Amino acid sequence: MGKGKLAKFADMEHYENVFQYPFSVVSDVPFDMKGHWCEQYFHNDNPIILELGCGRGEYTVELAKLYPEMNFIGVDIKGARMWTGATQALKEGLKNVAFLRTNIEIIDRFFDQNEVAEIWLTFSDPQMKNPRKRLTSTFFLNRYRNFLVNKGIIHLKTDSNFLFTYTSYMVEKNNLPVLFRTDDLYHTEGIDDSTKRILSIQTYYESMWIERGLNIKYLKFQLPTEGNLEEPDVEIELDDYRSYHRDKRSSLETSK
């Protein structure tokens, strides 16, 4: 039997690769490493890559192993899940991995201007009823601009047709440069070498969805620092599930 939540939280209190600043305490505890992640934690000048909503942290860890010349930080509020990736990174001695337990709504409190090169959004909750909570909404894209380098790269990997379609409309509406787009990542021919490398990484849930016959969609685009961002005014057909851990069907048929 695996460890319980309380035991995992107790472990992470002593993990050197985990920083815990949930919304409930962040106002009272200053984060002095903002703008100094490379200097104070990674001890190098390599680019920093974030995975927002990292869950178990398995994708963060595998990216770090695949790209040792980069630094990776997995971000999530679910500490009991994050324990898995944080523990693995420590056991394998990965020095280019860290985890930040916090609410993504306040992510810009932890990174300074131009401190992050890329962002990964892997199987995020599509938030079909609440546009503001979608991790590719203007609410979040404007926050990313506070710390992402100009034309920094955002990767969206999802099985949600709703989130993929919404983000595609968002990119088109705001003329954001698209570097790669496919609605069936594992059955697309002629993909570039950098995209081929990520095919070797599959999360636990991703493997389950592939076995169920769901297509994995991938969108890679740049986010310029300048320019106003606008929400796309379109109706999008909802997925027949809300997220991987909830099988309830929505009472709505379409959403903006």
Side-chain angles (χ1 to χ4, degrees):
M1 182 178 295
K3 284 195 174 188
K5 286 187 178 181
L6 292 179
K8 291 177 179 178
F9 277 116
D11 282 350
M12 292 201 301
E13 287 291 338
H14 305 285
Y15 280 11
E16 62 183 19
N17 63 347
V18 175
F19 302 87
Q20 303 193 67
Y21 288 82
F23 186 75
S24 58
V25 302
V26 71
S27 297
D28 302 321
V29 181
F31 191 74
D32 296 331
M33 206 157 60
K34 179 178 181 178
H36 303 285
W37 280 89
C38 283
E39 174 190 349
Q40 296 182 13
Y41 179 78
F42 292 112
H43 306 295
N44 60 45
D45 294 324
N46 296 336
I48 292 177
I49 319 295
L50 303 186
E51 185 192 1
L52 302 182
C54 69
R56 297 169 179 238
E58 53 197 318
Y59 209 85
T60 301
V61 170
E62 292 304 318
L63 282 172
K65 292 163 66 174
L66 195 60
Y67 298 96
E69 71 280 6
M70 298 180 180
N71 301 320
F72 292 87
I73 303 173
V75 182
D76 208 303
I77 192 59
K78 303 286 188 179
R81 294 181 186 173
M82 182 182 292
W83 176 89
T84 301
T87 301
Q88 181 184 353
L90 287 177
K91 287 182 177 179
E92 297 189 19
L94 299 175
K95 301 299 184 183
N96 63 329
V97 182
F99 290 91
L100 173 62
R101 188 173 79 84
T102 193
N103 305 76
I104 299 177
E105 290 85 349
I106 56 173
I107 187 64
D108 51 341
R109 296 191 184 189
F110 301 93
F111 300 95
D112 209 351
Q113 187 176 12
N114 297 318
E115 191 169 17
V116 174
E118 301 181 21
I119 293 174
W120 276 88
L121 306 173
T122 52
F123 303 99
S124 309
D125 189 322
Q127 297 289 348
M128 291 183 283
K129 288 188 175 183
N130 194 338
R132 184 182 175 91
K133 290 188 175 182
R134 296 170 200 158
L135 295 187
T136 53
S137 68
T138 54
F139 177 83
F140 281 103
L141 292 182
N142 280 320
R143 273 157 177 72
Y144 305 157
R145 282 176 157 181
N146 291 330
F147 55 80
L148 195 64
V149 299
N150 186 34
K151 295 185 179 180
I153 295 174
I154 296 180
H155 307 260
L156 173 70
K157 194 178 183 187
T158 182
D159 67 312
S160 168
N161 186 65
F162 179 90
L163 184 59
F164 183 73
T165 303
Y166 166 79
T167 307
S168 296
Y169 278 125
M170 174 68 74
V171 165
E172 181 180 358
K173 174 74 174 179
N174 295 284
N175 297 312
L176 304 179
V178 174
L179 303 180
F180 190 84
R181 182 185 185 279
T182 176
D183 58 5
D184 191 358
L185 179 61
Y186 291 95
H187 299 94
T188 298
E189 297 182 358
I191 62 176
D192 58 88
D193 290 340
S194 63
T195 305
K196 285 181 181 178
R197 295 185 73 182
I198 68 170
L199 295 181
S200 63
I201 307 175
Q202 289 184 10
T203 67
Y204 170 76
Y205 288 109
E206 181 178 0
S207 299
M208 289 178 55
W209 296 326
I210 291 174
E211 289 179 3
R212 287 169 52 191
L214 296 178
N215 290 345
I216 304 302
K217 301 158 182 63
Y218 175 59
L219 178 60
K220 177 181 178 182
F221 64 96
Q222 292 178 317
L223 180 61
T225 303
E226 301 298 326
N228 293 326
L229 296 174
E230 298 180 13
E231 288 285 333
D233 186 16
V234 293
E235 298 289 337
I236 303 173
E237 183 178 356
L238 301 183
D239 297 333
D240 60 0
Y241 65 94
R242 293 182 180 177
S243 64
Y244 67 82
H245 58 284
R246 290 179 290 178
D247 294 326
K248 295 180 181 179
R249 293 175 180 267
S250 173
S251 59
L252 302 176
E253 294 181 357
T254 61
S255 178
K256 288 187 177 181

